[in-house]
Amino acid sequence: GDHPAPRALPALESTIPTTDDHDVLGEAVEAVGDIDDPRVVDALTRIAWEHHDVNVQKEAVETLGDRHEDAGAMAALERIAQQHERDEVQAEAIETIADHSEQSLHPVILELAATGRSARIRREALESIGDSVEKISDATVLDRAQQVIERAIFDDPDRAVQIEALDPLDKLPDERALRALRDVIARHPDARVRKEAAEHVSERQQ
């Protein structure tokens, strides 16, 4: 429930560094998120960046997502998605942003699909794009999504990411997906990627 904000926030913040009990930590982070105080976003952001336990950092990210209507919380999530040193925390931020941008494609996620520093981050961003395009009908937004996915398929430095990017491509609307997959079969330099694209096409035609 709601806590008397001025006293509760410092009390909870002081609890978090002094315990290693996962249940206590998770509840403490959630409790911070429940406080009605403008300083909460800053407190959660500090935990996401500074706590030594990755699970606590991820819990803080998820709790920031509960405040997605707060511009400060979304800005904090965007920075975590782009710059956090731990892939797991970046991935959690990508997923959290995507969950709250359902009818659109968040520009940070589109950017990370191409520029994420690790294959895991690029895959996470591409997967989020795939989940989003299933719910989007706006042709301009779909064009942008397709462009980003195709760039991953043809240009990502990691072959496994290229292959996995066929999944979000396959989630585009029917005719668009088929055209794009056939283009991969016709033009991709790697036989494994072409073979995987052909399997996607044959599954669609069964």
Side-chain angles (χ1 to χ4, degrees):
D2 288 339
H3 306 273
R7 290 193 307 282
L9 187 55
L12 283 163
E13 274 204 277
S14 62
T15 302
I16 289 166
T18 60
T19 179
D20 283 323
D21 182 312
H22 280 287
D23 292 338
V24 172
L25 283 164
E27 284 175 23
V29 173
E30 277 183 39
V32 168
D34 288 339
I35 298 170
D36 184 15
D37 184 318
R39 296 171 300 172
V40 165
V41 167
D42 287 342
L44 290 168
T45 304
R46 272 197 301 280
I47 296 164
W49 282 99
E50 295 169 13
H51 200 278
H52 62 87
D53 185 322
V54 68
N55 293 308
V56 177
Q57 291 180 314
K58 285 164 65 179
E59 183 73 50
V61 166
E62 199 179 315
T63 307
L64 276 169
D66 295 337
R67 292 181 164 252
H68 59 95
E69 289 170 7
D70 180 326
M74 284 308 281
L77 285 168
E78 288 166 16
R79 199 162 73 83
I80 292 165
Q82 290 168 306
Q83 297 173 18
H84 203 284
E85 64 186 4
R86 285 175 156 165
D87 277 7
E88 306 99 302
V89 182
Q90 273 191 299
E92 186 73 36
I94 290 168
E95 191 181 321
T96 303
I97 290 168
D99 285 347
H100 299 295
S101 319
E102 282 210 339
Q103 295 307 311
S104 61
L105 286 166
H106 196 286
V108 166
I109 294 176
L110 289 169
E111 176 196 320
L112 287 169
T115 64
R117 65 160 183 258
S118 71
R120 174 173 182 177
I121 295 306
R122 298 192 302 276
R123 276 202 306 270
E124 187 74 41
L126 286 159
E127 192 180 315
S128 292
I129 292 168
D131 292 341
S132 296
V133 296
E134 290 185 299
K135 306 170 191 129
I136 289 170
S137 54
D138 183 306
T140 310
V141 179
L142 289 170
D143 284 346
R144 180 82 184 100
Q146 183 174 338
Q147 191 180 12
V148 169
I149 297 165
E150 286 175 339
R151 185 168 59 187
I153 291 166
F154 284 96
D155 298 334
D156 194 279
D158 188 311
R159 191 70 81 206
V161 175
Q162 294 186 1
I163 290 169
E164 284 185 43
L166 293 166
D167 289 334
L169 194 71
D170 200 15
K171 290 181 176 179
L172 290 165
D174 285 349
E175 281 308 310
R176 183 188 281 266
L178 273 172
R179 276 198 309 274
L181 286 164
R182 287 184 179 127
D183 183 55
V184 173
I185 296 163
R187 292 198 303 120
H188 203 285
D190 188 281
R192 285 167 302 171
V193 181
R194 295 196 302 271
K195 178 172 177 284
E196 198 74 30
E199 283 174 15
H200 278 284
V201 170
S202 67
E203 278 170 24
R204 280 177 157 271
Q205 292 175 332
Q206 279 169 9

